[in-house]
Amino acid sequence: MRRPASAFHFAYLAAVVIKGLDGAIETVAGLITTIAGPWPFYSLAVWVTAPELSSHPENRAAHLIRHGASNLAHAPGRFVAVYLLAHGVIKLALAINLLRGRNWIFPVATVLLLGFIGYMAVRLAGHWSAWLLAFALFDVLTVGLVVNEWRRHDPQAFAGVAAKWRRIPTGFAGKLHRHP
């Protein structure tokens, strides 16, 4: 008999759906960039932010949108297209398989999301961005929810992985925490 869904399960579903929608948007943006280049995004950003900047020239959000679109427009088109397509397709595939509840996807999703977080941490170390930090924190939250769902969904497999991690030699740091 299945347990009733918890607030964590609903948060997990919401995070996965958001990841899936983001993946779909990135995939479409990657296809558009492949066909037309990055300039349509800059033109769209200018068109969308123009009314706001004409009435409120100091609007920080509108300037950030334009700045980001300008950076995208001046980046190598092929890199932008490949990045958006790869990132989008991976996120979309993860979301679809997580929503299907496939057992094999939980460790794969955990590793891939940790990879995304690591990449964002490297980018943050080189250039600070509040947006990138927000995305990284959302991925950290998503990893926690995926691991929790994995534990709930397949307790035996999760327990096996957890036991293997406990047997890994801890080295010097582990010796500091042992009591005689």
Side-chain angles (χ1 to χ4, degrees):
M1 183 167 203
R2 292 201 85 164
R3 291 180 287 181
S6 68
F8 285 117
H9 180 70
F10 288 121
Y12 161 80
L13 290 175
V16 170
V17 167
I18 290 169
K19 279 283 172 206
L21 290 173
D22 182 40
I25 291 168
E26 283 186 10
T27 301
V28 169
L31 290 172
I32 292 170
T33 304
T34 300
I35 296 166
W39 282 99
F41 294 107
Y42 179 72
S43 298
L44 178 65
V46 168
W47 180 71
V48 167
T49 58
E52 180 62 27
L53 287 174
S54 67
S55 61
H56 300 98
E58 71 286 345
N59 186 311
R60 187 165 164 78
H63 283 292
L64 285 172
I65 291 169
R66 278 198 178 182
H67 180 71
S70 175
N71 288 343
L72 178 67
H74 290 94
R78 185 173 303 260
F79 171 77
V80 172
V82 169
Y83 176 82
L84 287 171
L85 282 170
H87 202 239
V89 167
I90 288 169
K91 281 198 228 178
L92 193 55
L94 281 176
I96 289 169
N97 284 296
L98 284 168
L99 290 173
R100 287 182 172 173
R102 311 271 191 206
N103 287 340
W104 62 269
I105 195 64
F106 292 107
V108 172
T110 302
V111 168
L112 286 173
L113 287 169
L114 288 172
F116 289 157
I117 294 165
Y119 175 75
M120 287 185 273
V122 169
R123 294 292 307 250
L124 279 169
H127 178 73
W128 174 255
S129 165
W131 286 102
L132 192 57
L133 177 64
F135 289 127
L137 291 175
F138 181 73
D139 278 355
V140 168
L141 173 69
T142 304
V143 166
L145 292 168
V146 166
V147 169
N148 183 61
E149 189 70 13
W150 180 16
R151 183 184 54 80
R152 190 178 86 73
H153 195 267
D154 193 1
Q156 284 83 20
F158 182 82
V161 170
K164 286 179 187 175
W165 277 96
R166 277 190 228 112
R167 287 192 294 250
I168 293 175
T170 55
F172 180 73
K175 291 177 185 173
L176 292 176
H177 297 291
R178 290 191 187 144
H179 300 288

